[in-house]
Amino acid sequence: MRCQRIFLLLCTSGMMGLSATAQNNTSLPTSMYGVGELSAGDGGRYAGMGNIGIALNRMGFQNTLNPAAITRMDSTCFIFDIGASAAYARYSSLSEHSSGFTGNPNRLSMGFRILPRWYAIVGAAPYSSVGYLIRTEEEIEGMPGSYIYSSFEGTGGLYRCYVTNAFALTPHWSVGMNLGMILGTVTQSETQESAVIEYESSKRAFYADFGAYYDFRTTGRQWAAGVIFAPSMPITHDNTMTYTNSSTSSSLDKSYHSRQQYLPMHLGAGVSMMTERWTATVDYNYMDWSRNSSSYTSMKYENQHKINAGGIYTTNPRLPRSTELMAGLGVSNSYISLKGGKMNYLEASIGASFPIRYSYLSLGATWRKQMNSRSNLMQESRWSINLNLTFGERMSRSKLR
């Protein structure tokens, strides 16, 4: 009976993850390009320090950034993570301003130990989002005061379903891998007067990344290092174009060809230092988009660099579970370049994680500012809040032997 209950929990978690992350959305106008706006992270217990953790391996932490750094999970429990986020963003371009509010589930995962040195996570999380509405008006030549109104709208996004496996080779070394799928549907439409053209693209790609983790102790300190690698993978498209015109009652459905897209090659490295009360960590991530080409003359792909630093303060290290305070700072660039101008980001985060019996309730707040190389590019300021709950389901009265 207990095995059936565990199997049911696994199936339910996967189904809920797919339905929850499919609701992911954004209101960023530049999400019309590429694969959309990339998810900054999937929340989690340490979202308040900027979603970093390549070199972070801690009790009760389901690390989705480094598949090797999950070998400190409680061996007697199934550990569940459920997260959600809400964001308010303000955009400006020259003298025009707009704003948008979004709220989404952003994490569902379950971790457990299979064998004494073998750990696993099953989960789902957003990968990218598409959400924009742009309206334009253009005066008809030779007809002063008469205009043609057009609108461009996009919705949808991609989400990631994955299985993580990690192996503790020694008390200090561990290796791991993520295997899964990235999939979703993006719908983009163009409306002018009574004519509507809608492009629907269902995308899917195999996803894999690999990681290694090592830690060691010196007097009063524990040091750790981690590395990750994900190869570039092709994205498969199933595309349908629909044309409708309400004034003529005509319609047309047909498939269409789009340019081949690829998931970027990803390299990352991190280091951390931990004392009785303090944990400090730094991550660097590089994403290579060079296999992609743009069908827009005004847009091209840029390789990404991202550097994040964060810290955790444990209020009472003598307790087995204690309140933790955290903060983080990061800089990065967008993988999209518009009209030769580059878009960069500065973000700062704060948060706290509170123990509730055998669970943790975590809150994180992030401010992100877009810093562009040209003043005529769109400017963005965003404030977001992450809420995460980590809890365990006891599977035996004693640890696995």
Side-chain angles (χ1 to χ4, degrees):
M1 291 298 293
R2 195 159 191 84
C3 291
Q4 294 176 350
R5 183 181 177 187
I6 292 171
F7 179 75
L8 180 62
L9 286 169
L10 282 166
C11 295
T12 303
S13 297
M15 295 173 62
M16 288 178 62
L18 290 175
S19 61
T21 53
Q23 304 302 315
N24 186 49
N25 58 73
T26 182
S27 57
L28 185 67
T30 53
S31 66
M32 68 185 297
Y33 301 109
V35 296
E37 181 189 11
L38 296 179
S39 174
D42 59 0
R45 182 174 160 190
Y46 293 122
M49 58 186 293
N51 292 294
I52 60 177
I54 295 177
L56 207 60
N57 193 352
R58 294 167 66 88
M59 179 71 75
F61 176 39
Q62 293 191 33
N63 193 336
T64 60
L65 300 177
N66 185 349
I70 63 171
T71 55
R72 299 286 191 271
M73 287 192 300
D74 189 339
S75 62
T76 66
C77 287
F78 283 96
I79 306 296
F80 296 88
D81 259 13
I82 299 175
S85 65
Y88 170 79
R90 179 174 172 80
Y91 313 102
S92 61
S93 179
L94 299 177
S95 60
E96 300 294 325
H97 300 276
S98 64
S99 61
F101 177 84
T102 59
N104 310 294
N106 67 352
R107 180 187 180 99
L108 180 66
S109 63
M110 179 177 64
F112 50 97
R113 190 169 77 160
I114 300 175
L115 292 173
R117 293 176 179 264
W118 181 6
Y119 295 78
I121 295 177
V122 178
Y127 182 79
S128 68
S129 302
V130 174
Y132 62 89
L133 176 59
I134 303 171
R135 294 188 175 95
T136 64
E137 61 178 37
E138 184 177 354
E139 189 173 27
I140 301 175
E141 187 176 352
M143 300 178 63
S146 298
Y147 296 88
I148 293 178
Y149 298 93
S150 304
S151 65
F152 304 86
E153 185 174 6
T155 58
L158 305 179
Y159 54 95
R160 180 169 66 102
C161 304
Y162 59 90
V163 177
T164 302
N165 287 277
F167 303 91
L169 304 180
T170 72
H172 302 287
W173 274 103
S174 60
V175 296
M177 61 182 175
N178 281 320
L179 299 175
M181 293 291 295
I182 290 177
L183 64 163
T185 300
V186 173
T187 302
Q188 298 175 291
S189 64
E190 303 174 10
T191 303
Q192 188 175 89
E193 302 298 327
S194 58
V196 179
I197 301 177
E198 182 178 274
Y199 302 91
E200 183 177 276
S201 179
S202 295
K203 307 174 187 289
R204 60 188 179 276
F206 176 74
Y207 173 86
D209 67 12
F210 309 90
Y213 172 86
Y214 176 73
D215 62 22
F216 64 95
R217 278 194 172 276
T218 60
T219 304
R221 290 180 172 84
Q222 178 174 310
W223 300 84
V227 293
I228 56 172
F229 167 72
S232 176
M233 295 289 189
I235 301 175
T236 301
H237 304 256
D238 292 325
N239 302 324
T240 303
M241 183 192 74
T242 303
Y243 171 82
T244 57
N245 193 319
S246 59
S247 63
T248 61
S249 300
S250 60
S251 63
L252 174 67
D253 289 300
K254 69 173 186 177
S255 61
Y256 69 93
H257 174 75
S258 61
R259 293 201 180 194
Q260 178 65 61
Q261 291 180 313
Y262 298 88
L263 299 178
M265 185 269 287
H266 181 191
L267 289 170
V271 294
S272 68
M273 184 275 294
M274 185 166 54
T275 65
E276 186 179 41
R277 287 186 179 272
W278 289 95
T279 299
T281 183
V282 178
D283 283 3
Y284 168 74
N285 287 276
Y286 169 74
M287 301 178 75
D288 187 336
W289 293 86
S290 60
R291 296 185 70 185
N292 291 275
S293 61
S294 173
S295 58
Y296 299 92
T297 57
S298 60
M299 174 263 181
K300 71 174 185 177
Y301 288 86
E302 293 283 342
N303 294 334
Q304 287 181 282
H305 303 269
K306 185 175 183 180
I307 299 176
N308 289 83
I312 304 170
Y313 175 73
T314 303
T315 58
N316 194 339
R318 296 179 181 276
L319 296 177
R321 296 172 184 268
S322 175
T323 297
E324 296 176 320
L325 307 177
M326 63 201 78
L329 189 68
V331 292
S332 62
N333 67 289
S334 173
Y335 75 102
I336 291 172
S337 172
L338 293 176
K339 300 178 181 179
K342 297 183 179 180
M343 296 180 287
N344 301 300
Y345 298 97
L346 171 67
E347 62 181 41
S349 305
I350 58 172
S353 180
F354 306 98
I356 305 174
R357 299 190 66 183
Y358 296 106
S359 305
Y360 285 96
L361 176 65
S362 304
L363 298 171
T366 301
W367 167 78
R368 187 177 78 166
K369 175 68 176 178
Q370 197 175 60
M371 303 177 296
N372 297 324
S373 60
R374 290 166 47 181
S375 60
N376 62 342
L377 291 176
M378 186 196 69
Q379 311 291 320
E380 177 202 10
S381 294
R382 175 176 299 191
W383 296 264
S384 60
I385 296 176
N386 283 276
L387 172 67
N388 191 83
L389 178 63
T390 302
F391 61 95
E393 167 71 13
R394 188 68 56 181
M395 63 182 179
S396 69
R397 294 186 179 275
S398 61
K399 292 187 177 182
L400 294 173
R401 300 297 181 186

